[in-house]
Amino acid sequence: MGRSPVWVETTRTGQTRLVAPAGARRRITHPTGVQTPCVSCASVGRDTQGLPRDGDGSEALCIPCWRTRTDAARRRHAAELRAAALEASLVADEAAVCAACGGEEPSPSCWLCGWSWLAQARADHEHAQELDAAAVEHRFAQLAERTRAEQTVAELAGWVDRLRTTIQECATGGRHERAVHLLADVLAREAAARVSSRGRRSKLALVCGVLAVDQAARITRPGRARTAELAGVTERTVTDCWAKAEALEWMERTVQGRRLSFEQRCATGRTYDRAEFDLAHLGGLERAAARAPYLPAALLVLDELLAHALVLLEAAHDGVDALQARAGELTDQAALVRRAQLRAAVAAARDTALTGAELIAAAQLGNFFPPRAASTGMSVYSCWFRGFGCPPSSAHPTSGDPSRGNSGASRSPTTAGRG
């Protein structure tokens, strides 16, 4: 059959295997095809068929040996290219000399390096293009900064208009009047929870005033930084005042602020989800009677917020004017007229707030605070804070000299001084 003889042998371990005699082929010889052993494999004793890869007369190689030689040739070629590039860079680093006259500096008498002014012109053109690109980028940065400044002006103008509308509707009646009652309610709750008359003035009224005016449909989503800016306090103070307002049950946190996930940040475009608060109901007649004495104080707080908002708006206007002057532009006359009209409207609203506070205080017989035990000095400071020009007279339960307190000691050294 044209096959080499094959023998069977048994090893010492009892296994049976086929044994071919030395020099016999282990592969079946096919009647067709190229029957050429691989040169590299035959040198190490492997029986592998190959093909002459480079045509007739070339060495026959199997696929693994041919790939090995091809990869080695590719690596040698890459190494030669790197060496040539390194040599070219070293030559380029050397001082360039003219190929005609051999000088390093261009000479007008040389026909070759005398045309070197073209290189200088090319360099000047590239530098001019870089300057133009930088100017365009700077202009875009100025436009972006001016747009942000104008957005800030628009937001502050809206906030001033909202405060002004709230104060005016408190006198004439309207839906924005609710903010004044909300602020008076938190002042009443704070006074009821106060256990001592000592200490500095609390910033709770300012922070809650921002919340009350900024609320919509009893749900508010304030930002800590924005509230701090509008109230003129720090962000830490805003956090403390929120916690105190929650403790007073004036507002309830309905949505807890949190950091958004990566998918939510991509969808919403923001990093954090703000907290949401539900402000307390104004209640019935009992709550109305409790907060009625604090309506003048609420108006004075809104007046203070309006004055601070006007300062912020003026600073924002100055920033826009500075950006326009830097760009070589002038402020529009219509914009100046609108600013003057806004200042006049704010002044009228502040007068309305002061007048309303005085009328309410006069309607309540000049005393809109619940009586509490406090020294004369504390009464002076308290009345100045609440808007009175002079403190009320102190009344003591002792009989006899009205200048004596509970201990009976006189506050004045002499009768003349007391008079």
Side-chain angles (χ1 to χ4, degrees):
M1 299 297 292
R3 297 175 180 271
S4 302
V6 180
W7 288 270
V8 178
E9 67 175 3
T10 303
T11 61
R12 291 180 298 177
T13 59
Q15 295 180 352
T16 303
R17 65 181 181 182
L18 297 175
V19 178
R25 289 184 54 83
R26 296 182 178 87
R27 295 180 180 271
I28 301 175
T29 303
H30 297 279
T32 61
V34 179
Q35 307 292 332
T36 306
C38 177
V39 176
S40 299
C41 294
S43 62
V44 295
R46 290 196 302 267
D47 185 14
T48 308
Q49 298 293 324
L51 291 174
R53 303 289 173 174
D54 298 330
D56 295 339
S58 60
E59 294 182 351
L61 297 174
C62 62
I63 292 179
C65 296
W66 173 70
R67 286 180 177 176
T68 301
R69 291 192 179 186
T70 304
D71 294 341
R74 187 182 298 110
R75 287 193 295 269
R76 286 194 304 269
H77 181 65
E80 292 175 358
L81 291 178
R82 286 194 297 269
L86 179 60
E87 183 178 359
S89 63
L90 293 177
V91 173
D93 292 339
E94 296 178 357
V97 297
C98 179
C101 64
E104 296 182 0
E105 297 295 334
S107 176
S109 60
C110 179
W111 66 271
L112 181 59
C113 61
W115 296 92
S116 59
W117 59 272
L118 293 176
Q120 183 64 32
R122 187 180 296 108
D124 294 341
H125 177 67
E126 294 177 355
H127 182 64
Q129 286 184 336
E130 292 177 358
L131 292 179
D132 293 342
V136 171
E137 184 177 359
H138 179 67
R139 180 58 179 168
F140 274 108
Q142 285 184 344
L143 292 177
E145 185 178 4
R146 181 175 174 179
T147 302
R148 290 192 296 267
E150 291 177 351
Q151 290 177 355
T152 303
V153 168
E155 293 176 0
L156 290 175
W159 172 248
V160 169
D161 184 70
R162 193 163 190 173
L163 284 172
R164 183 170 55 84
T165 305
T166 302
I167 293 175
Q168 290 177 351
E169 290 190 0
C170 182
T172 60
R175 62 186 183 90
H176 292 281
E177 184 185 4
R178 182 173 180 271
V180 183
H181 292 274
L182 286 172
L183 183 55
D185 186 65
V186 72
L187 292 177
R189 292 172 185 264
E190 182 189 14
R194 188 184 298 118
V195 296
S196 175
S197 60
R198 303 182 61 182
R200 295 178 299 176
R201 174 189 173 187
S202 175
K203 301 295 183 180
L204 179 65
L206 298 175
V207 176
C208 292
V210 174
L211 297 180
V213 176
D214 198 34
Q215 59 87 26
R218 294 182 57 249
I219 300 297
T220 179
R221 298 184 61 190
R224 184 178 286 102
R226 179 177 180 272
T227 304
E229 180 185 7
L230 297 180
V233 297
T234 61
E235 296 187 16
R236 178 63 181 174
T237 302
V238 172
T239 303
D240 296 340
C241 290
W242 285 354
K244 188 173 182 179
E246 290 186 71
L248 293 174
E249 297 181 356
W250 182 72
M251 67 181 186
E252 180 184 0
R253 190 186 297 262
T254 57
V255 175
Q256 182 68 33
R258 61 187 180 88
R259 183 180 177 87
L260 300 179
S261 62
F262 177 74
E263 292 79 5
Q264 293 172 341
R265 290 198 299 270
C266 295
T268 60
R270 63 176 185 271
T271 306
Y272 293 93
D273 192 7
R274 292 179 179 177
E276 292 185 7
F277 297 95
D278 185 5
L279 302 186
H281 292 273
L282 293 177
L285 297 178
E286 182 179 357
R287 293 303 308 168
R291 67 174 177 269
Y294 296 93
L295 290 176
L299 283 175
L300 294 178
V301 171
L302 293 183
D303 176 71
E304 185 176 353
L305 289 176
L306 183 57
H308 180 67
L310 186 60
V311 173
L312 294 178
L313 184 58
E314 291 292 340
H317 282 156
D318 294 341
V320 173
D321 294 341
L323 292 176
Q324 290 180 350
R326 189 186 307 172
E329 302 176 2
L330 297 177
T331 305
D332 188 11
Q333 184 66 25
L336 296 178
V337 172
R338 287 194 297 269
R339 294 181 190 180
Q341 293 175 353
L342 181 61
R343 286 194 293 268
V346 169
R350 296 193 64 186
D351 292 341
T352 303
L354 295 177
T355 305
E358 292 176 357
L359 291 177
I360 296 175
Q364 296 171 357
L365 302 179
N367 184 14
F368 54 88
F369 300 119
R372 59 187 179 90
S375 62
T376 304
M378 290 300 298
S379 298
V380 171
Y381 297 146
S382 177
C383 291
W384 281 347
F385 164 58
R386 300 301 181 183
F388 285 113
C390 59
S393 59
S394 302
H396 300 279
T398 58
S399 60
D401 192 353
S403 64
R404 298 179 180 273
N406 295 331
S407 60
S410 175
R411 295 181 180 270
S412 303
T414 59
T415 305
R418 186 169 61 250

